[in-house]
Amino acid sequence: LNDKVIIPKRKFPALTMYTLQGKLLKEITVPGMTDDQKSLAVCGDDSVILSDCGASSVSRINIDSGEVMWTSKQVHGPRGIVCYKDSYVLVTNSNKDTRIWILDINTGESQGY
């Protein structure tokens, strides 16, 4: 994202931001983040979407300010995520009855599945 690499830390509730050369820039603490499986997607120029399977949450995080813009608990066991047309976040889950949830990119509110 904007010449930065962002990685979720597995044992600490944070996103770690590096330069493309590997220099540590900062860590962004994400309240409630677990050490379970996570996915990240780029969202615009200044934020990422984080799915945390263990917390059953999907969050939008501003990487400049570190602010959690919204958190959705509507998808149980979220896994893969992608931002679509700067309007939606598409989320899959880990259940045997896999679906794709559609969340509003600005609010995290469910738009259906």
Side-chain angles (χ1 to χ4, degrees):
L1 178 67
N2 293 334
D3 295 330
K4 297 174 190 82
V5 177
I6 302 165
I7 302 169
K9 286 186 102 171
R10 188 130 171 108
K11 299 291 181 184
F12 184 74
L15 299 176
T16 306
M17 186 184 314
Y18 297 94
T19 65
L20 293 178
Q21 293 74 32
K23 179 183 174 191
L24 176 66
L25 293 173
K26 67 179 173 179
E27 290 187 344
I28 302 168
T29 301
V30 180
M33 192 167 131
T34 71
D35 63 354
D36 206 337
Q37 295 179 1
K38 295 170 194 62
S39 294
L40 278 177
V42 173
C43 181
D45 291 334
D46 61 356
S47 62
V48 294
I49 304 292
L50 170 72
S51 76
D52 185 333
C53 189
S56 280
S57 67
V58 178
S59 301
R60 182 173 179 181
I61 301 145
N62 182 302
I63 62 156
D64 293 329
S65 69
E67 172 193 8
V68 177
M69 301 166 71
W70 54 257
T71 297
S72 171
K73 295 276 195 175
Q74 298 182 29
V75 181
H76 181 73
R79 293 289 175 114
I81 54 174
V82 66
C83 293
Y84 180 72
K85 291 191 175 187
D86 293 327
S87 298
Y88 303 104
V89 177
L90 307 179
V91 185
T92 62
N93 67 338
S94 63
N95 302 331
K96 65 180 181 177
D97 187 26
T98 300
R99 297 179 180 166
I100 297 175
W101 274 260
I102 303 168
L103 306 179
D104 182 278
I105 205 164
N106 295 308
T107 65
E109 292 295 318
S110 176
Q111 304 297 300
Y113 55 82

